[in-house]
Every structure is written in C-alpha cells, then in structure tokens.
Amino acid sequence: MALMITDECINCDVCEPECPNDAIFMGDEIYEIDPHKCTECVGHFDEPQCVQICPVACIPVNPAHVESRETLWQKFQRLTAAKEAGQAGPAGAASIS
C-alpha cells in the first residue's frame, strides 16, 4: 500500500524531509506522494514516518495502490539497489561519500 496526502494538507513542510525514499514532493497545491517510491517506510522504520509526524492526519492509505507488506519489502529492496547503483558511479571509479 502506498500512502497519499489528501487536500486537508496544510503544507507545513514536516513530512517531506522525513521520507527515507524521497517519495514526498511538492505538487501544484499540496504535497504529494509518488506511489512508485512509497514503501510505507517498510525496510526503514516500523511505522510510516510521514503519518507519525503529520499534524493534521491527512495521510491515509492510497486505495489505488494497495500492496502487501511483502510487495512493499520488494519495492524497498529495488529502490535501495537502484540508489546504491546510482551512487557507485562508473565502473572502476572511486565513490565519494
């Protein structure tokens, strides 16, 4: 299940930096969640961090993107592998951290 941000969002800016997958971004009017990046924090935390910190409770499960915990875990693994591959740079190049 990916999460979504409803139009009750007050643009308080607290959710975006809490997302370990960089799935939250500013949309045309309110923050939005990219369902292809949202793992509900599976692989990072026990609870979705955006839900925990949201002061107006406007982040429910997105009914258009219902996923099992196993599917979320697989998505986490794909995202992590892609991120690590992107940071590795060209073959033979040293990684700068």
Side-chain angles (χ1 to χ4, degrees):
M1 298 171 279
L3 301 172
M4 62 184 279
I5 298 175
T6 68
D7 60 6
E8 291 148 359
C9 176
I10 59 172
N11 292 326
C12 66
D13 304 320
V14 298
C15 62
E16 183 182 25
E18 295 300 315
C19 182
N21 296 321
D22 297 321
I24 300 175
F25 62 96
M26 177 51 87
D28 291 337
E29 296 182 23
I30 60 172
Y31 281 94
E32 297 180 23
I33 298 177
D34 180 345
H36 299 100
K37 291 183 177 181
C38 179
T39 64
E40 291 189 42
C41 290
V42 168
H44 296 283
F45 301 100
D46 292 334
E47 299 289 329
Q49 298 301 286
C50 59
V51 172
Q52 293 295 315
I53 200 160
C54 181
V56 294
C58 67
I59 308 176
V61 171
N62 186 337
H65 295 279
V66 176
E67 299 167 292
S68 69
R69 189 156 181 86
E70 178 61 29
T71 300
L72 292 170
W73 176 252
Q74 291 169 358
K75 187 190 305 185
F76 160 76
Q77 291 177 314
R78 281 192 310 272
L79 290 169
T80 301
K83 187 174 185 179
E84 288 174 359
Q87 291 177 350
S95 176
I96 300 173
S97 298

